[in-house]
Amino acid sequence: MKGTKRSNATDWVDHVRRIRDRQDQQAFRELFEHFAPRVKGFVMRGGTDAAFAEECAQDVMATLWRKAHLFDPSRASVSTWVFTIARNRKIDLIRKQRRPEPEDLTWGPEAEPDQADVLGLQQETEELGRAIAALPEKQRNLIEKAYFGDLSHSEIAEQTGLPLGTIKSRIRLALDRLRHAMK
């Protein structure tokens, strides 16, 4: 079968079934030869280097071998399933690369901030408190809900019954006033 072109997806479904049911190495080899270079290209188009893409493709194909029993042809084609695995695996590997290693983390207590920084922060906090208190009540209430209550604009709209546009406008005006007050 090597080098033959697949014209319909049911051939690949049969390959996955053979892997699932009989751990058919020939079926896996054919799937691997077809999909591994395509997965590698897909991953590289996302801006990664060849080594990363190769690692990802290998991992995707190993996942296909181990999880063939999870494939459902009524939900997706084999290629959709393979590229979904590839996309998810690429995201996982990128996250893993960006996660700091334990030796990169600082251990022990954080360095104490110097007294000038603490004093400056206290003064800014007090200044911000006065600036918020000086806002018109309607703007102040929305700023408090958004920033201290940690509510989204939509959640504030639900809670207050105000239109979303009104909420956004009032918050924008309040932030503008706070920016000017903090100069």
Side-chain angles (χ1 to χ4, degrees):
M1 283 236 167
K2 189 174 182 181
T4 59
K5 207 162 191 160
R6 300 261 170 238
S7 59
N8 82 34
T10 57
D11 288 340
W12 294 127
V13 170
D14 181 58
H15 279 65
V16 175
R17 284 187 180 130
R18 288 170 35 207
I19 294 167
R20 176 193 69 200
D21 297 340
R22 300 188 302 262
Q23 290 74 46
D24 187 320
Q25 292 182 5
Q26 180 62 32
F28 179 72
R29 186 175 301 110
E30 291 169 11
L31 272 168
F32 190 97
E33 288 172 356
H34 178 78
F35 283 105
R38 288 166 174 80
V39 167
K40 182 178 177 182
F42 167 74
V43 173
M44 286 181 69
R45 279 192 298 279
T48 62
D49 64 26
F52 177 89
E54 183 71 33
E55 177 186 350
C56 190
Q58 295 286 332
D59 195 62
V60 168
M61 299 313 293
T63 300
L64 186 147
W65 175 262
R66 287 188 320 274
K67 298 195 176 188
H69 65 281
L70 297 176
F71 175 68
D72 181 357
S74 69
R75 296 184 65 202
S77 68
V78 173
S79 65
T80 299
W81 184 59
V82 168
F83 284 103
T84 300
I85 294 170
R87 180 183 60 82
N88 293 340
R89 191 62 190 137
K90 176 183 169 187
I91 291 168
D92 291 345
L93 289 172
I94 288 171
R95 284 183 183 148
K96 186 178 175 185
Q97 282 182 339
R98 291 185 181 155
R99 192 174 304 136
E101 293 297 321
E103 60 270 8
D104 296 336
L105 299 173
T106 57
W107 295 98
E110 292 287 319
E112 289 290 320
D114 70 12
Q115 198 58 33
D117 289 341
V118 171
L119 188 58
L121 185 57
Q122 284 175 338
Q123 289 173 340
E124 285 180 12
T125 303
E126 289 170 7
E127 189 179 336
L128 179 60
R130 286 191 297 274
I132 290 172
L135 288 172
E137 184 180 355
K138 290 178 181 179
Q139 291 176 3
R140 185 178 61 250
N141 288 340
L142 294 179
I143 288 290
E144 288 171 350
K145 288 179 186 305
Y147 293 96
F148 302 120
D150 214 21
L151 297 174
S152 70
H153 292 168
S154 300
E155 291 169 329
I156 295 170
E158 282 179 32
Q159 200 178 75
T160 63
L162 291 171
L164 193 56
T166 301
I167 291 166
K168 289 180 179 184
S169 294
R170 286 183 185 169
I171 288 176
R172 193 171 25 256
L173 287 170
L175 290 175
D176 195 42
R177 284 183 179 197
L178 290 174
R179 252 189 303 279
H180 288 295
M182 296 298 289
K183 283 186 179 180

